[in-house]
Amino acid sequence: MPLQDTAVWRIGEAAQRSGVSAANIRFYEKQKLLAPSARADNRYRLYSDADVHRLRFIRLCRTMDMSLGEVRTLVALNAQPPADTHAACHTLDEHLAHVRARRKELQALEQDLRALRSRCDGSDDAHCHVLDALHAQADAQANAAPGATLAGAPPKRHV
């Protein structure tokens, strides 16, 4: 069934059909990932089946943790004739590199959390040392030179 371009869905209906909140639909319009919506006489935003499909596409990319820039690239490639089919692969390769780097960061974070958790195993005394260790790390970060990292580790990106 071909997608129709006639705008028939108000923003709430488009949100429900696409799984994207109305607030995010407005945001994606501001980010130019979605063309400005048509307006009814009463100024309500109206969306077509093609718009709803694009919203689903954007939502899928975002659930894969793609940045807005990556999504923008894929949306732009989708709107062009398929001259360079490898451009989408290049975008995906860059995202995979980001995911791999993030996975390493998360593994390091897990190790840090496990080490911190071990400070409260009940073997030394009845006092849990987790908060003491957190305070010590916070002080060590405050005393480090700007941009420096603790123990040569890469800066944490979790925050």
Side-chain angles (χ1 to χ4, degrees):
M1 172 172 98
L3 299 176
Q4 57 93 4
D5 280 331
T6 306
V8 295
W9 310 112
R10 293 195 333 211
I11 194 166
E13 296 163 319
Q16 185 176 17
R17 290 176 174 277
S18 66
V20 175
S21 71
N24 278 354
I25 292 173
R26 290 184 201 97
F27 175 75
Y28 293 146
E29 282 183 23
K30 287 179 187 172
Q31 294 298 312
K32 300 190 183 333
L33 289 171
L34 184 66
S37 62
R39 299 287 181 144
D41 291 339
N42 58 8
R43 304 289 297 149
Y44 286 158
R45 288 176 159 94
L46 295 175
Y47 299 90
S48 67
D49 285 340
D51 293 329
V52 169
H53 176 76
R54 177 173 280 196
L55 287 166
R56 288 181 187 138
F57 180 86
I58 293 168
R59 182 185 53 136
L60 175 65
C61 292
R62 295 294 285 157
T63 61
M64 288 189 230
D65 201 33
M66 290 184 189
S67 69
L68 289 176
E70 291 166 334
V71 175
R72 188 173 288 108
T73 298
L74 294 175
V75 166
L77 287 171
N78 196 49
Q80 298 174 357
D84 183 10
T85 57
H86 293 289
C89 290
H90 178 71
T91 300
L92 214 54
D93 288 341
E94 287 179 349
H95 186 62
L96 277 168
H98 166 77
V99 167
R100 289 179 183 122
R102 185 70 179 125
R103 184 176 62 201
K104 286 180 183 177
E105 291 171 1
L106 289 171
Q107 287 170 336
L109 175 61
E110 181 183 16
Q111 288 176 341
D112 290 347
L113 291 171
R114 286 179 185 265
L116 188 60
R117 178 61 181 92
S118 71
R119 301 290 305 261
C120 191
D121 63 3
S123 63
D124 292 339
D125 55 36
H127 181 71
C128 180
H129 298 281
V130 169
L131 294 176
D132 296 336
L134 285 170
H135 285 291
Q137 286 182 7
D139 288 342
Q141 287 178 352
N143 294 330
T149 60
L150 297 176
K156 303 283 192 267
R157 294 186 40 199
H158 184 70
V159 186

